[in-house]
Amino acid sequence: MNFSHDIRFRKETLQKLLHNIRVHESDIVEALYKDFRKPAFESMLTETSIVISDLKHTIKHLESWARPKKVRSSWLNFPSRDCIYSEPYGKVLVIAPWNYPFQLSFLPLIAAVAAGNSVVLKPSELTPATSALVSKIIRETFDVKHVVAVLGDATIAADLLRKKWDYIFFTGSTAVGKLVAKAAAEHLTPVTLELGGKNPCIIDKSAQLELAARRIVWGKFMNAGQTCIAPDYLLVHSQVRDKFIVLLKTEIERAYGDDPRASADFARIINSDHWKRLTAMIEPYKVLHGGLSVEEERYISPTLVEEHNVESALMQGEIFGPVLPVLAFENETQIRQILSGYGKPLALYVFTENREFEQRVLREYSFGGGCVNDTVVHFSNRRLPFGGVGQSGMGMYHGKFGFDTFSHKKAVLKKANWLDIALRYAPYGKKGKLLRRILGWF
């Protein structure tokens, strides 16, 4: 079977994948719970529903995406017809992370298959139940020469990176992303790197504070804070800081009760190493709320800490857990000073009713994507590109952006033979004057 050129085959295979995911949806939810007690609602909202929606959208639009696109010809090439062909790269490696192990395995895989590529998927070893199920669904859906999942630890990933690929798609930390980019450079392999960063969340004094607190608590503590686009720290205007902290506490209790440990809606930390890293971060701080932890359960409660030092250990790297530092600012100069100390983030959030302030923030700061008066939800719109910039990554995907990421755009000009203008051919003689005159008309 020619995987690269048969559009019908691509659609039929993706339809088979859609069917198999629906068949296994309850198994997927169960596997995510086994790996880190992810609530069923979050598993459906942030994992299975996003993949199913993307599959349906891709199947519906694949033929139009894959069709050659006519573009206007240049007068210099008259008469001609010019087209852009979407050509698959070939053999693609997808390395998926552990925090959304189902969604972030299948979204790039769907785009790569839709574009006509063959795929090797390396799921995360930190989520063994989900990764095993991902592998099972792939075996039930694809020919082994088309798509295959390779299970194993970081040494397996390193072995895969030493091979020659036509495209590499990696989701994970910035540190590992650099290693992937270095390995890809050995063969000049193009890459997409979906990384992370210190995602700021700015709360202006004009913001609707109660609503802002609810949306921030949801976006931050979903999946126990283990989300690459979660707010990493809060910058709250000093005039509303104390009031806002009270509102955050109220919303945490509204979401997870007086004892989040007993809540069925609060996930756990992925493993003991990450738990120890996070608890060590909390230890030196004045805890404003939460701060409780239980190692046997890999539990850390939703935690707010007071932060004054932008050079602290907590503020130097991506937190990736249910710990939220709260900083105060007096003016936009202070915001600028704080944000300039970090690389370009994967996400930025601003809560404000001040239109001018909103526009200044959006114009001045570079970031992968974000929201005004909400958090995280920009990820859910497949019509928006998702990706980082600078240290938070390169490249983009979701919907047609994913199809384009895994497609080489091949330019083709078809020249007619019924007319051949001699101007371009040597000997040139005095043709230069005529060329300048012609160029002046356009």
Side-chain angles (χ1 to χ4, degrees):
M1 175 60 68
N2 190 332
F3 305 128
S4 63
H5 298 298
D6 192 329
I7 303 301
R8 177 185 289 182
F9 172 79
R10 298 185 208 175
K11 288 182 66 175
E12 289 175 351
T13 306
L14 292 175
Q15 286 166 343
K16 186 177 180 181
L17 176 61
L18 176 60
H19 170 77
N20 288 339
I21 287 173
R22 283 173 165 160
V23 167
H24 287 291
E25 187 165 14
S26 61
D27 299 326
I28 297 161
V29 171
E30 183 181 346
L32 290 163
Y33 188 86
K34 285 180 181 178
D35 283 329
F36 47 121
R37 238 184 82 168
K38 183 173 287 198
F41 182 86
E42 287 186 10
S43 293
M44 290 186 287
L45 180 69
T46 66
E47 302 260 14
T48 57
S49 69
I50 288 179
V51 172
I52 289 170
S53 176
D54 190 72
L55 262 171
K56 291 164 68 176
H57 180 74
T58 300
I59 291 166
K60 180 179 179 180
H61 295 283
L62 178 54
E63 287 187 24
S64 64
W65 292 350
R67 192 176 298 129
K69 302 298 186 294
K70 294 180 181 179
V71 298
R72 189 172 65 183
S73 301
S74 166
W75 69 269
L76 290 170
N77 294 319
F78 180 83
S80 71
R81 295 175 60 193
D82 298 14
C83 287
I84 301 171
Y85 286 78
S86 294
E87 176 184 79
Y89 279 101
K91 293 172 60 179
V92 169
L93 173 65
V94 174
I95 302 177
W98 55 262
N99 59 324
Y100 290 87
F102 183 80
Q103 179 217 126
L104 296 178
S105 290
F106 276 109
L107 284 189
L109 185 151
I110 291 164
V113 169
N117 300 280
S118 61
V119 182
V120 172
L121 170 68
K122 167 61 179 69
S124 175
E125 70 276 14
L126 300 184
T127 51
T130 307
S131 295
L133 186 55
V134 166
S135 179
K136 179 180 179 181
I137 292 171
I138 287 173
R139 289 196 307 273
E140 292 174 353
T141 304
F142 298 98
D143 183 287
V144 70
K145 294 180 180 179
H146 187 193
V147 178
V148 65
V150 177
L151 303 181
D153 59 15
T155 59
I156 299 297
D159 287 342
L160 289 170
L161 284 170
R162 281 191 283 268
K163 300 181 184 298
K164 188 178 186 306
W165 303 94
D166 297 305
Y167 203 96
I168 297 174
F169 189 104
F170 170 79
T171 305
S173 69
T174 300
V176 179
K178 291 178 180 178
L179 299 177
V180 173
K182 185 176 180 180
E186 288 294 320
H187 300 289
L188 295 179
T189 302
V191 297
T192 290
L193 302 176
E194 297 292 345
L195 309 178
K198 298 291 288 183
N199 303 323
C201 185
I202 303 165
I203 298 89
D204 181 42
K205 61 184 178 181
S206 69
Q208 294 189 30
L209 297 180
E210 291 185 12
L211 187 57
R214 175 171 292 186
R215 290 173 175 176
I216 289 167
V217 165
W218 175 78
K220 173 61 181 180
F221 298 111
M222 176 174 58
N223 202 32
Q226 298 165 117
T227 304
C228 60
I229 53 173
D232 202 81
Y233 62 100
L234 302 185
L235 280 171
V236 188
H237 196 284
S238 58
Q239 292 183 19
V240 297
R241 174 192 175 276
D242 292 344
K243 179 181 179 181
F244 195 65
I245 289 171
V246 172
L247 292 171
L248 288 170
K249 294 177 182 178
T250 299
E251 291 302 330
I252 290 171
E253 291 176 359
R254 187 199 301 267
Y256 305 112
D258 295 333
D259 181 13
R261 183 183 175 190
S263 172
D265 300 321
F266 190 69
R268 295 300 187 258
I269 306 305
I270 186 62
N271 61 25
S272 294
D273 288 341
H274 284 266
W275 182 91
K276 290 174 183 176
R277 178 183 65 85
L278 290 165
T279 52
M281 284 182 174
I282 298 170
E283 192 173 334
Y285 281 88
K286 177 183 177 181
V287 174
L288 302 172
H289 185 81
L292 302 176
S293 59
V294 180
E295 183 171 7
E296 309 86 72
E297 297 181 20
R298 307 192 310 274
Y299 166 76
I300 298 176
S301 64
T303 299
L304 306 175
V305 298
E306 188 174 56
E307 181 63 90
H308 300 286
N309 179 15
V310 295
E311 296 181 356
S312 68
L314 192 63
M315 294 298 293
Q316 286 308 298
E318 187 178 8
I319 295 171
F320 225 68
V323 184
L324 186 57
V326 182
L327 295 85
F329 73 90
E330 299 281 348
N331 51 52
E332 292 182 42
T333 300
Q334 289 184 336
I335 296 175
R336 191 176 302 111
Q337 289 171 343
I338 292 170
L339 266 63
S340 65
Y342 306 107
K344 298 175 182 179
L346 183 58
L348 180 146
Y349 307 110
V350 57
F351 288 82
T352 183
E353 293 294 298
N354 184 330
R355 175 73 173 172
E356 293 180 358
F357 175 73
E358 168 197 320
Q359 290 302 307
R360 286 196 297 272
V361 169
L362 297 181
R363 282 196 305 266
E364 182 165 350
Y365 302 108
S366 179
F367 52 94
C371 304
V372 177
N373 295 327
D374 210 338
T375 63
V376 175
V377 292
H378 63 292
F379 183 91
S380 64
N381 186 352
R382 57 179 172 260
R383 297 170 187 84
L384 291 173
F386 181 80
V389 58
Q391 284 201 315
S392 60
M394 62 180 73
M396 63 185 74
Y397 71 125
H398 284 192
K400 186 171 185 296
F401 298 102
F403 177 87
D404 290 340
T405 284
F406 287 103
S407 302
H408 166 60
K409 300 305 179 183
K410 184 165 63 177
V412 176
L413 181 150
K414 183 176 181 179
K415 193 68 178 282
N417 292 328
W418 58 267
L419 177 66
D420 192 39
I421 298 172
L423 178 64
R424 66 173 173 170
Y425 299 115
Y428 300 119
K430 297 180 180 179
K431 292 179 181 178
K433 291 182 180 180
L434 178 58
L435 178 62
R436 280 193 292 269
R437 187 178 305 167
I438 294 172
L439 291 174
W441 295 340
F442 293 92

